Amino acid sequence: MTLSGKKILIGITGGIAAYKTCELIRKLIKLNADVKAVITPTARKFVTETTLRTLTRNPVYCEQFDVPEWKPEHISLADSADLFLIVPASANTIGKIANGICDNLLTSLVMAFNKPVILAPAMNCNMWKNSFIQENIIKLEKAGFHIIPPESGELACGYEGTGRLSDIDKILEKVLKIFNEGNFLKGKNIIITAGGTKEPIDPVRYIGNRSSGKMGLALADAAYSFGADVTLISTVKVDKPYKVINLSTAIEMLEVVKNEFSDADALIMAAAVADFRVNKASDHKIKKADCSQKLKVGGGEPSIEMPFNASNQEGKEENLALELVKNPDILKEISVIKRDNQVLVGFCAESQNLIENAKKKIESKNLDFIIANDISNKEIGFNSDYNAVTIINKSMNEVKIDKTLKKELAKIILKEIFK
Ligand code: PMT
């Protein structure tokens, strides 16, 4: 394995484990990586710039506005690297990053860095157990940072416990894994849908659902990080380095998916698409007074009534009937035009008989895979950072994945689909 052509920033914070980082740098250089060291002012107490300059064969960076280049150092360094490793990551630096503080070159650099960041914390075991530190670690994990947890054993401060820097070879393994995975979807054109559709009732109100878009966004981010050309079709407005098409309704989603699909290698429908829409939404805001006239939005016989049936002061009924009509089934329509070499993936959100219903959907929608998630469990699924799923393929083989961060789960799902 070689890291030839890979540009790695190695951040060192103030901690006794900083001496081990020198060994890590040596191993990275042996694999032909181009390594630049960025240190915090406190790290200077633990490792010298001469050591780091000699090992990296590059200048060492510490002060933020020290260099005569026109571009601020934290921006030019961030632009120049493929990966940022922070080894050791002190409790102080972890806290700053988790809270968006940029008070030195290293922390500013992290904020400006939009490629993978690995943090290998090292500290006293009581500090590591501290709830503030743990909350910060969870926050960083949710934000997509790669955390290599500390190991337990004898600590430099004299304590025994969890806190000592992970084995250097484990950190190196993670670096190699990130670069290996980096390109496995290169050349693939993948469409991902995210969020819940919004079906208008009038210019103010809509029928929606609890989907936050997190699952679809995690898949799009993961596919992009694996080198795919990503088109995200989303009901949630987001700013991403890949193509994003924003829309609201199921009809709009069908139109856009159809347009994009002919050039795609895969369509992954994580969006929660409304099965029904209001037949002819009102052009004007519906007034409360309209309800006493038993207004029906849409016309025809009402199929669903609002669940209240109160009377106003004059004893008149205050009902509003909405006529709902069936939306097109996007996956079903796409399955008709799908070529053999295109992959169609659906999600299945069910609160009972999950696997049975998922298997029915894989057949009725002619899918290659269905990802079944149980939406009766409040800790996962809708609007949670976590999900637990069963991936089912056409031959009805099942792969079960327990509760995992959606960001991580997205990677597992993509690897399973494209393996
Ligand atoms: O967005 P989050 O808050 O992160 O939540 C994630 C999620 C729970 C929304 C997601 O994981 C999920 O399960 N998405 C699919 C929800 C859904 O609509 O499931 P369904 O069983 O009703 O539909 C099955 C499949 O058909 C889905 O892929 C859906 O996108 C698709 N569909 C549904 C209706 C329709 N008219 N056309 C479709 O193509």
Side-chain angles (χ1 to χ4, degrees):
M1 174 69 197
T2 170
L3 289 173
S4 195
K6 302 294 180 210
K7 293 183 167 52
I8 298 175
L9 287 176
I10 188 140
I12 306 173
T13 70
I16 186 66
Y19 78 92
K20 296 186 186 170
T21 314
C22 298
E23 181 60 11
L24 177 62
I25 294 174
R26 213 184 53 77
K27 292 193 173 189
L28 291 168
I29 296 284
K30 259 194 150 176
L31 292 172
N32 289 326
D34 178 11
V35 182
K36 284 179 182 160
V38 182
I39 59 174
T40 61
T42 328
R44 281 181 167 146
K45 295 187 196 290
F46 295 91
V47 64
T48 74
E49 285 171 55
T50 313
T51 309
L52 296 171
R53 199 167 38 244
T54 311
L55 287 174
T56 60
R57 303 165 195 173
N58 268 316
V60 175
Y61 302 84
C62 182
E63 301 299 340
Q64 195 152 6
F65 301 104
D66 224 17
V67 185
E69 295 293 322
W70 70 270
K71 230 183 188 184
E73 196 73 336
H74 60 288
I75 304 298
S76 56
L77 276 173
D79 290 348
S80 71
D82 306 303
L83 177 72
F84 195 179
L85 265 168
I86 304 179
V87 184
S90 66
N92 182 41
T93 294
I94 288 168
K96 286 180 189 174
I97 300 171
N99 290 286
I101 295 170
C102 314
D103 65 346
N104 60 37
L105 177 61
L106 190 148
T107 48
S108 306
L109 195 43
V110 177
M111 298 304 146
F113 201 75
N114 59 7
K115 283 153 274 180
V117 181
I118 299 177
L119 291 167
M123 65 196 73
N124 164 271
C125 51
N126 289 336
M127 289 173 81
W128 175 249
K129 272 194 278 189
N130 184 290
S131 61
F132 290 120
I133 307 277
Q134 285 307 311
E135 278 166 25
N136 286 335
I137 291 287
I138 291 170
K139 210 167 160 187
L140 291 170
E141 251 176 344
K142 281 186 185 167
F145 287 79
H146 300 270
I147 311 286
I148 306 182
E151 294 178 357
S152 63
E154 206 178 301
L155 306 177
C157 56
Y159 277 75
E160 279 271 332
T162 304
R164 77 179 201 200
L165 185 71
S166 156
D167 187 81
I168 290 296
D169 286 332
K170 273 197 198 152
I171 301 174
L172 194 63
E173 245 173 56
K174 183 76 185 176
V175 172
L176 296 175
K177 193 164 171 233
I178 287 178
F179 281 125
N180 262 341
E181 282 173 349
N183 273 339
F184 99 96
L185 290 179
K186 200 166 180 64
K188 294 255 186 264
N189 185 350
I190 301 179
I191 305 174
I192 293 158
T193 66
T197 58
K198 293 180 176 140
E199 308 297 333
I201 297 170
D202 68 11
V204 180
R205 301 153 181 118
Y206 60 82
I207 298 174
N209 60 62
R210 295 177 201 280
S211 169
S212 61
K214 286 180 184 177
M215 191 66 245
L217 290 174
L219 282 160
D221 285 349
Y224 179 73
S225 77
F226 288 150
D229 287 326
V230 174
T231 302
L232 174 70
I233 299 172
S234 172
T235 64
V236 184
K237 284 203 170 95
V238 282
D239 189 17
K240 292 286 176 187
Y242 44 80
K243 184 173 171 186
V244 180
I245 302 173
N246 200 241
L247 43 68
S248 289
T249 67
I251 297 278
E252 287 166 357
M253 193 173 274
L254 172 67
E255 206 51 41
V256 173
V257 169
K258 264 187 175 167
N259 280 345
E260 299 289 322
F261 188 67
S262 58
D263 293 334
D265 295 291
L267 166 66
I268 306 176
M269 290 276 304
V273 183
D275 288 322
F276 292 92
R277 68 179 183 280
V278 174
N279 188 18
K280 289 198 209 122
S282 168
D283 289 337
H284 306 289
K285 183 183 171 191
I286 300 167
K287 302 274 185 224
K288 258 187 261 169
D290 297 334
C291 299
S292 57
Q293 294 160 26
K294 284 200 129 203
L295 182 98
K296 248 187 321 182
V297 177
E301 278 307 302
S303 42
I304 289 187
E305 288 208 350
M306 297 278 272
F308 69 91
N309 198 16
S311 294
N312 64 13
Q313 280 170 349
E314 291 98 52
K316 285 183 188 162
E317 278 194 350
E318 292 184 313
N319 290 356
L320 171 65
L322 297 177
E323 187 192 19
L324 302 181
V325 288
K326 220 169 179 187
N327 265 331
D329 188 315
I330 302 173
L331 276 172
K332 244 186 194 168
E333 296 212 9
I334 295 295
S335 74
V336 177
I337 55 172
K338 165 184 147 29
R339 298 187 303 270
D340 284 349
N341 60 351
Q342 290 177 302
V343 181
L344 215 51
V345 183
F347 268 72
C348 174
E350 294 285 345
S351 52
Q352 46 193 347
N353 303 327
L354 178 64
I355 302 300
E356 196 186 316
N357 285 323
K359 286 182 175 172
K360 278 185 196 153
K361 279 183 193 170
I362 208 170
E363 276 176 344
S364 68
K365 295 181 189 246
N366 191 20
L367 306 176
D368 296 292
F369 292 89
I370 196 145
I371 320 292
N373 48 194
D374 178 358
I375 49 160
S376 66
N377 182 349
K378 296 278 173 288
E379 284 174 23
I380 58 164
F382 283 122
N383 199 20
S384 165
D385 290 321
Y386 296 86
N387 210 353
V389 301
T390 302
I391 304 172
I392 307 172
N393 69 12
K394 245 188 159 127
S395 320
M396 302 298 169
N397 297 320
E398 298 170 25
V399 176
K400 192 168 181 291
I401 300 152
D402 292 334
K403 185 178 165 187
T404 311
L405 270 174
K406 282 180 181 168
K407 282 177 191 288
E408 287 309 310
L409 183 69
K411 293 180 190 166
I412 300 171
I413 292 173
L414 291 172
K415 284 179 201 162
E416 197 55 40
I417 293 171
F418 294 100
K419 72 181 176 192

